[in-house]
């Protein structure tokens, strides 16, 4: 009997990262970061995972979620995803004098896909899709409603992947607007040069 395209192999499980898995996690995350500027939070990510969760941003709201795909026969980590509140947006809001209520509401409402990576030998098995789906479900349960991220402009494979998962792909250089409300203004998340954004409600 053929496995459904959206079903994981029986020997792969998706779960939250455990204490002690920081190095394995960040080694795989580094693959996703290639070509996306400096991986300047690698050490902090490593330490946070090894300290154990749950992980809450310094703005008092918004989950930081570290997921792994484990190859159960070997207990090896073969895929990872890291999803976070929009920390760079929040830092800009803070510099511009936003109050704690606005910062907390923004941290809770929006999710940035920081890293999504699968080891070469385990690709095309639905692992990235399962990691993404699980991460978005966790954030939705914690009242987030919009997710976004960025990739190298013109990467046709990632364009197809994120479209398949319901994301809008923005033009190269175009920011994602994180909508506010009557109390909080809209804010923008901008890509790095040579990148383009993707976004969707969750």
């Amino acid at each position: 009997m053929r496995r459904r395209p959206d079903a994981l192999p029986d020997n792969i499980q998706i779960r939250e990262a455990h204490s002690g898995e920081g190095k394995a996690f960040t080694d795989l995350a580094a693959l996703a970061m290639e070509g996306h500027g400096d991986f300047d939070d690698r050490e902090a990510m490593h330490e946070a995972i090894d300290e154990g969760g749950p992980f809450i941003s310094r703005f008092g709201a918004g989950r930081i979620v570290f997921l792994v795909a484990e190859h159960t026969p070997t207990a090896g980590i073969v895929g990872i995803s890291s999803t976070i509140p929009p920390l760079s947006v929040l830092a800009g809001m803070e510099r511009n004098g936003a109050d704690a209520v606005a910062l907390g509401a923004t941290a809770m409402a929006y999710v940035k896909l920081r890293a999504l990576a699968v080891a070469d030998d385990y690709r095309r098995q639905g692992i990235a899709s399962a990691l993404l789906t699980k991460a978005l479900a966790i954030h939705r349960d914690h009242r987030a409603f919009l997710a976004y991220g960025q990739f190298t402009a013109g990467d046709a494979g990632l364009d197809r992947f994120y479209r398949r998962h319901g994301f809008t792909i923005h033009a190269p250089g175009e920011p994602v607007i994180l909508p506010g409300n009557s109390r909080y203004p809209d804010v923008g998340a901008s890509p790095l040069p040579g990148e383009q954004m993707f976004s969707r409600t969750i």
Side-chain angles (χ1 to χ4, degrees):
M1 183 173 167
R2 293 182 63 186
R3 183 170 58 88
R4 295 196 328 270
D6 61 342
L8 280 172
D10 292 339
N11 60 5
I12 300 292
Q13 69 163 331
I14 306 298
R15 60 169 174 79
E16 294 202 43
H18 295 160
S19 178
E21 294 178 336
K23 182 180 187 305
F25 190 103
T26 54
D27 284 351
L28 263 181
L31 293 177
M33 301 301 182
E34 289 179 4
H36 294 276
D38 294 332
F39 187 5
D40 54 5
D41 57 346
R42 180 171 186 165
E43 185 174 335
M45 186 183 289
H46 184 160
E47 290 178 357
I49 292 168
D50 284 347
E51 288 172 2
F55 310 102
I56 306 295
S57 81
R58 69 180 181 85
F59 296 96
R63 286 288 306 275
I64 299 171
V65 178
F66 301 115
L67 295 180
V68 301
E70 178 188 358
H71 180 247
T72 53
T74 62
I77 293 174
V78 299
I80 62 92
S81 79
S82 169
T83 43
I84 64 175
L87 298 180
S88 59
V89 170
L90 289 162
M93 292 173 62
E94 189 174 49
R95 286 193 299 271
N96 290 331
D99 63 26
V101 174
L103 291 168
T106 302
M108 182 175 291
Y110 306 108
V111 175
K112 181 175 183 181
L113 181 60
R114 178 71 176 111
L116 179 64
V118 176
D120 288 345
D121 291 344
Y122 292 87
R123 292 180 179 176
R124 301 187 181 280
Q125 299 183 47
I127 294 172
S129 293
L131 286 162
L132 178 61
T133 299
K134 176 71 171 177
L136 295 183
I138 291 172
H139 287 286
R140 184 171 59 246
D141 288 345
H142 286 83
R143 297 193 291 169
F145 78 89
L146 187 141
Y148 72 97
Q150 58 212 65
F151 60 83
T152 301
D155 188 319
L158 288 178
D159 186 303
R160 287 192 301 272
F161 175 82
Y162 287 113
R163 286 186 195 276
R164 192 166 70 244
H165 288 280
F167 286 88
T168 295
I169 308 300
H170 300 263
E174 178 187 355
V176 169
I177 303 302
L178 309 182
N181 58 31
S182 60
R183 292 187 61 194
Y184 319 123
D186 295 353
V187 291
S190 298
L192 294 172
E195 294 189 339
Q196 60 193 114
M197 311 289 286
F198 55 92
S199 66
R200 59 161 280 191
T201 57
I202 58 176

